[in-house]
Amino acid sequence: MRVGGHPKGIAAAAAIIVVAALAWASWALHATGSGAKSDKHAVDIVPVAVGLVVSLASLTVSWLGYRAGRRQHTSGLPLTGIADEFAIAVRTQWETEARIRRLNDPYPLPVSWAPAEPAYRPDTDASALVGIDAGITDVFDRVPSGRLVVLGKPGSGKTMLLVRLLLGLLERRPPGLPVPVIFPLASWDPSRQNLADWLADRLTTDHPALALPAPGQEQGAPPVSRARALLDHRLVLPLLDGFDELPRHLRATALDAVNQALPPGHPLVLTSRLAEYGAVLSPASGVPSHLNGAAAITLRPLAPSDAADYLARDAGGRGSPSAARWQPVLDQLDDEGSPVGKVLRTPLMLFLARTIYNPRPGAVPRSPGLVPSLPDPVTLLGFEDPAALRTHLFDAFVPAAYRDVAPERVAQAEGALTLLAEHLEHGLGGAVDIEWWRLSALVPKAGLRRWATAVMWLWFALITLTSAAYVYVSADDGPFTSGMTMVIILTSKLSAQPPLQSILMALAFESVVARILAAVIRFHPRQAPATSMAWAWRWRAVVFGIGSGLAVGALIGNVFGWIGGVVWCFGAGIAVWSLSGWGVVPADLSAAAHATALLEQDRRVFWRFVQVGSAGGVALGALMGLGLGILQIFRPLTSAPDYTLGNDDLLSDAWFGLGMALLFIPALALVVAFSRTAWGTATITRHYLARRRNGLRLPRNLMAFLADAHEHHGVLRQIGPTYQFRHIDLQRRLANRPAFPRH
């Protein structure tokens, strides 16, 4: 969305209003002359003043919003300065993630690699590609093209090595040079979106401040986001993770798209499983594809001695009682023909095994004694098939990660994680990002609208029943309560029904209104979270304002004459236009790109829409009631019905308009809030899914659950404001296993 607005357009609109008001006032004063009739016409200028107040107040609100939006993105930093701040944010993010993933606990696994086969690395010196562990940064620096492919078997440590490369590059990065950023390729569909657009979208999702306009743009030129400007100026070094996680039929297309968007000379890193990348280089049919100018390395399996030392050290060190439990398994690691010797040779499998059979640091067992609640590692020797052993490790991982909580909470956590995995695999076609603002895809739109209808109808019912109770107790049908209970009054007088039946009929009518309003809301699962409000120039809002003004002017003019119609055409049109121009903007660069922080910001924006819209609407209702009262005093109704909505008391009419606005305006403000923000829809989704879906439930406090699964149990990882499962194979296993109990 374009942030800010169009100052020339606002000035032009203000000038048109002022000139039109002055011209009309001059004509009216010139035509009044003298006498009683002329005095009556002169009084007609009063509603003009009311309309002018509404118009100028709306313009003031719009201008303040415009200035607020401008302040949101006027940082004064050059593009290289933005890159330097961005580098700090990326480094902080991944240092925290490395700590939570326990990549250095008890010490970094010594992952080594060798040059890939010549077919994977044409025209590259093999001796420059040998290395181990943190030496990946030196290897990348030695590649002349700056383009590296990291290949390995499932769970061999490709992502872990990519994190080390990112931190190493940031450690050496001088100011003004490219910022390494990890991009999970599983969320890209190369058949629908080119790589440059996807990279920019991914940057703005993970770092919302990069959606703001880039500095130094020419006046009148199409706006360019900071993310796109960083990419265009090669100030982002893409680390593309998980090429194998793309659908098989899209991999060749994706590799060709990478070559087109990032030609030779543009550094990048690509990770993939060896077999999947090899299938693209040597397809059974069709034209082979490869990454132009790239060197390639292949990760080696861990040495049996390294795996044994790692497990023993994680259990407390050799000689400790906890490490002694592992000895039968450690003795089998040297046998590469055994299931244990084949499986426990990658960082992923070692991580699963240590989580299942070793106590977590600081975890308190539910039973006293020496780790009595932990399973015995000897059970690993009972599997004769490596595939069955891998499946066992995946299935036992989640219960083991939650072993320090009550048993019922373990089942609830496993059910919620299974539901999320099914949502990603089957609902979003294998996506990897758990985004709270997209979970509404799990709920039918009809269900969302039912909940939104209930929310708005509850407001109608609260106001209606409160007003009816006040009228019944006090026997005073005053103008304020008349405005709020207009539906009751009209229903009673038009249908000659008793008050109780009139109230029931009014509630039924209001349920229809609430359903109509809910149908207007656009429930979109891709809606991005909002972080603040800002006014922007939109031609659609102008058209909507003109249409609303004409409709209101026609209704008013039909009853109170063309003068009132013109006045309220201006007033209502400008009011609707200015309010429709309010939108949302992302956060500042300094704001934390965290899922919980974004949820809180979006929640505040949601209620700000409700508060501002309700306050402005209620004030407008009072002004409209006041203006209509003035018109009725000097221009009585030509045909009065058997009931009267207003009288000669201006204050009474103002109270009537205030009551009417209080009944309907907050519901309209809720429609705007639901349409412009994500929190309302996400809240409905959480309550809907907390009940049950396919026998599984999500916790009502979803953000706390996701944060706990990431920070304290290690089941999820976090990239920017999104969560992902610790490994794509864990997500697929949870989504597709048939044995999980559904209650």
Side-chain angles (χ1 to χ4, degrees), residues 18-19 69 112 148 189 247 272 277 333 337 426 453 483 500 516 519 556 566 602 635-636 643 648 671 686 695 737:
V18 172
V19 170
S112 61
L148 181 66
D189 185 349
S272 176
Y277 189 76
L333 289 180
H426 308 308
T453 300
L500 179 60
I516 294 174
I556 297 296
V566 171
D602 194 276
R635 193 181 297 274
Y643 59 93
D648 292 338
V671 172
R686 293 202 317 271
R737 60 178 179 170

Side-chain angles (χ1 to χ4, degrees), residues 527-530 584 602 605-606 609 672-681:
Q527 189 176 23
V584 296
D602 194 276
V605 175
F606 178 93
F609 270 115
V672 176
F674 273 115
S675 301
R676 298 294 171 87
T677 66
W679 178 83
T681 304

Side-chain angles (χ1 to χ4, degrees), residues 257-484:
V258 172
N259 286 328
Q260 296 295 325
L262 307 174
H266 196 306
L268 66 92
V269 179
L270 179 74
T271 71
S272 176
R273 295 182 182 182
L274 183 62
E276 283 77 355
Y277 189 76
V280 177
L281 266 64
S282 302
S285 61
V287 179
S289 300
H290 58 85
L291 188 61
N292 295 334
I297 59 175
T298 303
L299 302 188
R300 294 171 173 170
L302 294 171
S305 59
D306 291 335
D309 291 342
Y310 186 80
L311 289 172
R313 175 65 182 83
D314 185 69
R318 292 187 183 274
S320 65
S322 296
R325 301 163 54 247
W326 280 95
Q327 196 56 49
V329 178
L330 302 184
D331 294 338
Q332 290 282 330
L333 289 180
D334 287 329
D335 183 4
E336 297 184 1
S338 67
V340 168
K342 290 181 178 179
V343 173
L344 298 183
R345 296 288 300 278
T346 65
L348 174 61
M349 293 296 112
L350 287 180
F351 168 77
L352 297 178
R354 68 184 281 205
T355 303
I356 297 167
Y357 297 100
N358 283 345
R360 289 174 58 85
V364 179
R366 290 195 295 268
S367 302
L370 180 63
V371 290
S373 60
L374 296 176
D376 193 339
V378 176
T379 58
L380 295 173
L381 302 178
F383 293 90
E384 299 180 357
D385 180 19
L389 178 56
R390 292 190 185 93
T391 300
H392 161 71
L393 291 175
F394 280 122
D395 289 344
F397 169 64
V398 173
Y402 283 88
R403 67 162 55 93
D404 56 343
V405 302
E408 58 272 15
R409 286 191 57 196
V410 176
Q412 293 171 1
E414 196 167 10
L417 292 169
T418 299
L419 178 57
L420 291 172
E422 291 177 349
H423 164 61
L424 296 175
E425 281 294 306
H426 308 308
L428 299 180
V432 296
D433 294 329
I434 303 173
E435 299 166 327
W436 60 264
W437 57 90
R438 297 186 65 189
L439 288 178
S440 59
L442 282 167
V443 181
K445 287 189 177 181
L448 294 174
R449 289 198 172 95
R450 282 196 299 269
W451 278 76
T453 300
V455 170
M456 285 182 281
W457 181 81
L458 285 174
W459 171 256
F460 287 147
L462 174 65
I463 296 297
T464 300
L465 294 177
T466 301
S467 302
Y470 174 78
V471 172
Y472 176 78
V473 171
S474 65
D476 178 19
D477 186 11
F480 181 61
T481 53
S482 295
M484 292 189 293

Side-chain angles (χ1 to χ4, degrees), residues 55-73:
S55 302
L56 293 179
S58 301
L59 281 176
T60 302
V61 171
S62 303
W63 175 254
L64 292 176
Y66 164 72
R67 296 303 301 171
R70 293 290 296 175
R71 286 193 295 268
Q72 288 285 341
H73 63 76

Side-chain angles (χ1 to χ4, degrees), residues 540-556 565 568-578 580 620 624:
R540 185 178 300 177
V542 174
V543 174
F544 186 47
I546 292 174
S548 302
L550 291 175
V552 172
L555 291 174
I556 297 296
W568 288 104
C569 178
F570 270 98
I574 296 298
V576 171
W577 167 62
S578 60
S580 300
L620 179 61
M624 287 183 66

Side-chain angles (χ1 to χ4, degrees), residues 540-612:
R540 185 178 300 177
V542 174
V543 174
F544 186 47
I546 292 174
S548 302
L550 291 175
V552 172
L555 291 174
I556 297 296
N558 186 52
V559 178
F560 300 104
W562 70 270
I563 297 177
V566 171
V567 169
W568 288 104
C569 178
F570 270 98
I574 296 298
V576 171
W577 167 62
S578 60
L579 292 176
S580 300
W582 281 98
V584 296
V585 296
D588 295 331
L589 257 177
S590 58
H594 190 278
T596 303
L598 289 181
L599 180 70
E600 287 301 311
Q601 290 172 336
D602 194 276
R603 180 185 63 82
R604 287 194 293 269
V605 175
F606 178 93
W607 288 114
R608 197 170 298 137
F609 270 115
V610 175
Q611 294 164 2
V612 172

Side-chain angles (χ1 to χ4, degrees), residues 463-533:
I463 296 297
T464 300
L465 294 177
T466 301
S467 302
Y470 174 78
V471 172
Y472 176 78
V473 171
S474 65
D476 178 19
D477 186 11
F480 181 61
T481 53
S482 295
M484 292 189 293
T485 58
M486 184 196 71
V487 178
I488 301 176
I489 296 169
L490 292 182
T491 304
S492 177
K493 291 185 177 295
L494 293 177
S495 61
Q497 297 293 332
L500 179 60
Q501 294 187 22
S502 299
I503 293 174
L504 295 177
M505 293 179 64
L507 293 176
F509 172 77
E510 289 166 351
S511 69
V512 175
V513 174
R515 188 175 184 85
I516 294 174
L517 292 177
V520 178
I521 302 173
R522 296 181 60 188
F523 293 107
H524 202 295
R526 296 181 180 273
Q527 189 176 23
T531 53
S532 61
M533 294 172 60

